[in-house]
Amino acid sequence: MRILLINPPKYDKRLYTLRDEICFQNVKYVPFPIRLAQIGGVLKHVSDVQVIDANALELGWRELEEQMPECDMIIFQSAAGLIAHDIKVADIAKRKFGGNVKTILIETVLAPIYPERMLEDFPNLDIIVRGQPEVVIPDIIKNMELELKNARGIAFRDADGKIVATDAASTMSSLDELPFMAYDLFPMDRYSIGYLDLPFHEKLVPGIRIRTTRDCPYGCPFCIIGSSKWRGYDRKWKAMSPERALSELEYVVDKYKIHGFFFWDETFTLGQTRAEKICDGIIDRNLNLEWRCLTRIDCINQSFLEKMARAGCKLIEYGIESGDPSVRKDMQKNFSNQEAINIIKQTKDAGIKANCDLIVGMPWDDKNTLHRTFELAKKLDADNIHLTMAFPYPKTQLYDIAERESLLNVEDIYNLMLEERVRVGAHAVMRTRSLSSDELEKIWERIRKGVNRYYLFKNVIRRPSIIRDILRKRGFSAILKGMRMLVKNT
């Protein structure tokens, strides 16, 4: 069987498109499409597999169509907010190859929950993956010539045009059994990662995203993990052994001379002993890496941070979520403000940049809790503060609360998520129990401006050495941009 994997074209011509499991982002670095790469690794020994990464190669729709070889099956990925854009892959495939080519969509948030609506809305889409692609897609191929209804974890149209949704698929039992991602099918010289180097400056280095764990046991109410069996999560944390993870890292370093990695694990240090062994291996094997990861305040300590720095860690993203301890506890983050402040200081003392994620607009937020979030944002003294508006992804605990308490202010979240960028920005699609959406957006804007102003003064204006570094790396225009932001936000 001839299979073509496609990462669709960029959404914004000025930036690259990151299609992750939650939503899409416009980024400066060129993201390695790990879902497609892992599928390629699983399939390439049993099928004829080719890849077109239109995002990395900066191909437009016409160029993509010209380069698409004849095939029996096209598998493409998308993300919430991009589906209406990316579905053109299916339209082009049917126009070019006719009805016999099968088009398969991988998207984690919307398609698995509303498969019937999506198949009705997009007639050139044949199959929706509802589960872990590495498990579901081989089952599709196995049953394609027999009875497709026997493939688990999919939705499709049968010969009569009726939409069929099959039983849920199983999840992987061992990540060590996964083959390496199919690096040889991808334009490896194109990919990069970025990490914060200076205020207003993201350092880009050749690199890829890589995932060494799956799932997360915490069940944060806003998170899609564990929210539905149709998304392929079961809240049972699984991890590659340190040796398996190190083998793949070393392979990429040796074969492609790539030393930059973005560990795309939900919580890289959840199994701290395992993560420490990975750091030890990076050091012992002299891999000379530059890498970043995501983790939690309560899954790390000072000695481990120092080891991570020696292993090449440059940036850690922490989910702080709120400045109010009771709100944070409801979000499955049971640590004190002081613990968060201490860990961020220890991170910076180790020579690692710290990014802190904060969420505004959970149902239990009010003016007082949001004021505490603003105050904690300043006290954290992080290298970057990322404020997002709470978004109720369907089938999450947050969505269930919002629906049950009539907090939503959109009639149809499915239509909203087809083509609107969610999570990023100040657009509130729900109110809190005590604040209207308008009040929430005004407070969000006030917090964002206040935090920007505070960190601009503290980390730039009062530090001439930083200004010199910014001038050297970004030029005078970056300073002017910062000053304009300061004036605007005052």
Side-chain angles (χ1 to χ4, degrees):
M1 180 173 289
R2 299 166 300 175
I3 299 172
L4 178 61
L5 308 179
I6 294 180
N7 190 20
K10 296 159 69 171
Y11 179 76
D12 185 332
K13 292 182 178 180
R14 300 167 298 174
L15 298 165
Y16 296 94
T17 304
L18 170 62
R19 295 171 171 90
D20 71 15
E21 283 79 352
I22 300 176
C23 65
F24 83 94
Q25 298 179 50
N26 295 317
V27 294
K28 292 181 180 178
Y29 65 91
V30 186
F32 182 63
I34 52 177
R35 287 183 291 184
L36 295 182
Q38 192 65 75
I39 294 166
V42 170
L43 297 182
K44 73 175 185 174
H45 298 299
V46 296
S47 299
D48 177 9
V49 182
Q50 297 186 62
V51 172
I52 300 178
D53 188 345
N55 181 60
L57 297 173
E58 303 191 63
L59 304 179
W61 290 110
R62 182 177 298 179
E63 294 167 303
L64 172 62
E65 182 172 0
E66 291 171 351
Q67 294 192 22
M68 286 168 59
E70 283 202 31
C71 54
D72 304 301
M73 177 185 296
I74 289 177
I75 302 169
F76 67 103
Q77 67 171 3
S78 189
L82 270 186
I83 297 170
H85 173 271
D86 292 344
I87 207 71
K88 293 177 188 176
V89 169
D91 299 337
I92 291 171
K94 295 293 186 180
R95 182 171 67 240
K96 184 171 183 176
F97 303 122
N100 288 331
V101 65
K102 294 298 181 182
T103 57
I104 301 176
L105 171 65
I106 297 172
E107 188 277 326
T108 309
V109 175
L110 202 61
I113 307 304
Y114 301 100
E116 292 86 1
R117 290 187 66 176
M118 195 160 290
L119 287 169
E120 288 172 356
D121 287 344
F122 302 111
N124 287 325
L125 177 62
D126 293 319
I127 302 172
I128 290 173
V129 173
R130 308 179 75 202
Q132 294 178 341
E134 302 90 340
V135 174
V136 174
I137 289 175
D139 206 21
I140 294 174
I141 295 171
K142 175 184 174 183
N143 290 282
M144 184 65 72
E145 303 299 330
L146 301 171
E147 288 285 344
L148 194 54
K149 66 182 180 181
N150 291 332
R152 300 178 66 182
I154 66 170
F156 70 101
R157 293 185 202 82
D158 64 14
D160 298 323
K162 179 183 176 182
I163 294 174
V164 178
T166 66
D167 293 339
S170 60
T171 57
M172 289 178 288
S173 59
S174 172
L175 300 191
D176 280 4
E177 296 174 3
L178 280 173
F180 286 2
M181 292 188 281
Y183 299 106
D184 57 314
L185 301 181
F186 289 82
M188 296 299 289
D189 60 332
R190 297 287 302 171
Y191 300 110
S192 56
I193 66 164
Y195 59 84
L196 191 66
D197 185 30
L198 289 168
F200 316 127
H201 185 262
E202 183 179 29
K203 183 178 180 180
L204 302 181
V205 299
I208 64 167
R209 297 184 297 147
I210 191 168
R211 178 184 281 133
T212 68
T213 64
R214 296 291 177 93
D215 237 306
C216 177
Y218 287 100
C220 300
F222 52 83
C223 185
I224 64 170
I225 294 177
S227 58
S228 169
K229 62 183 179 181
W230 303 114
R231 290 188 171 121
Y233 301 107
D234 57 13
R235 284 182 60 187
K236 296 176 182 177
W237 185 73
K238 304 175 186 70
M240 287 181 181
S241 65
E243 184 59 38
R244 168 62 179 81
L246 286 164
S247 294
E248 189 154 359
L249 292 171
E250 190 168 31
Y251 173 81
V252 174
V253 171
D254 289 346
K255 185 168 181 63
Y256 299 102
K257 311 307 176 189
I258 287 175
H259 295 265
F261 291 89
F262 189 157
F263 287 97
W264 203 248
D265 306 270
E266 283 82 12
T267 311
F268 176 68
T269 65
L270 181 57
Q272 187 168 318
T273 299
R274 184 198 80 101
E276 286 200 55
K277 288 181 179 179
I278 291 176
C279 290
D280 288 335
I282 292 170
I283 296 167
D284 294 341
R285 299 183 191 202
N286 296 314
L287 297 184
N288 192 29
L289 303 189
E290 295 179 88
W291 54 278
R292 59 185 289 188
C293 68
L294 302 85
T295 193
R296 295 168 55 103
I297 292 294
D298 49 4
C299 290
I300 208 159
N301 57 50
Q302 184 172 358
S303 62
F304 186 23
L305 283 164
E306 292 168 354
K307 180 176 289 188
M308 291 172 71
R310 292 195 299 275
C313 183
K314 303 298 182 183
L315 173 68
I316 299 176
E317 298 179 46
Y318 293 100
I320 308 294
E321 318 308 4
S322 175
D324 185 281
S326 62
V327 169
R328 198 164 52 240
K329 187 174 182 180
D330 287 334
M331 297 161 79
Q332 301 298 316
K333 302 294 171 74
N334 194 16
F335 49 81
S336 69
N337 285 356
Q338 192 58 52
E339 286 176 299
I341 293 168
N342 292 344
I343 288 293
I344 300 306
K345 182 179 185 304
Q346 291 167 12
T347 302
K348 296 177 65 176
D349 287 346
I352 302 172
K353 301 290 185 182
N355 177 84
C356 294
D357 293 327
L358 296 165
I359 298 175
V360 170
M362 295 298 285
W364 34 83
D365 265 328
D366 57 29
K367 290 181 180 179
N368 291 327
T369 65
L370 294 178
H371 176 72
R372 294 184 189 109
T373 294
F374 173 56
E375 290 301 315
L376 179 60
K378 293 187 293 183
K379 292 176 182 177
L380 286 169
D381 194 26
D383 294 286
N384 187 59
I385 298 289
H386 186 211
L387 285 163
T388 58
M389 185 69 73
F391 189 87
Y393 296 109
K395 294 296 182 181
T396 60
Q397 295 177 46
L398 176 58
Y399 182 87
D400 292 344
I401 293 170
E403 187 176 46
R404 185 170 61 249
E405 299 184 16
S406 300
L407 303 179
L408 292 168
N409 62 8
V410 291
E411 292 184 2
D412 189 351
I413 203 159
Y414 166 83
N415 277 329
L416 171 74
M417 295 180 68
L418 277 180
E419 51 188 326
E420 183 168 326
R421 189 180 183 199
V422 301
R423 192 171 65 99
V424 181
H427 179 56
V429 301
M430 57 178 282
R431 62 182 179 85
T432 75
R433 291 166 179 162
S434 60
L435 296 171
S436 69
S437 296
D438 288 342
E439 289 175 310
L440 192 55
E441 290 184 9
K442 289 176 182 177
I443 293 173
W444 185 94
E445 185 71 11
R446 191 159 62 245
I447 293 174
R448 184 181 66 84
K449 288 180 177 181
V451 170
N452 286 344
R453 184 168 61 246
Y454 176 83
Y455 278 95
L456 184 62
F457 269 122
K458 186 176 188 301
N459 291 341
V460 180
I461 303 301
R462 296 174 60 185
R463 300 174 66 186
S465 63
I466 293 295
I467 295 177
R468 286 194 299 270
D469 288 340
I470 293 171
L471 284 170
R472 177 170 53 85
K473 292 189 176 183
R474 289 288 304 276
F476 191 66
S477 60
I479 299 294
L480 288 177
K481 178 182 177 181
M483 293 304 295
R484 283 196 298 269
M485 182 176 69
L486 177 63
V487 172
K488 180 180 178 181
N489 290 344
T490 302

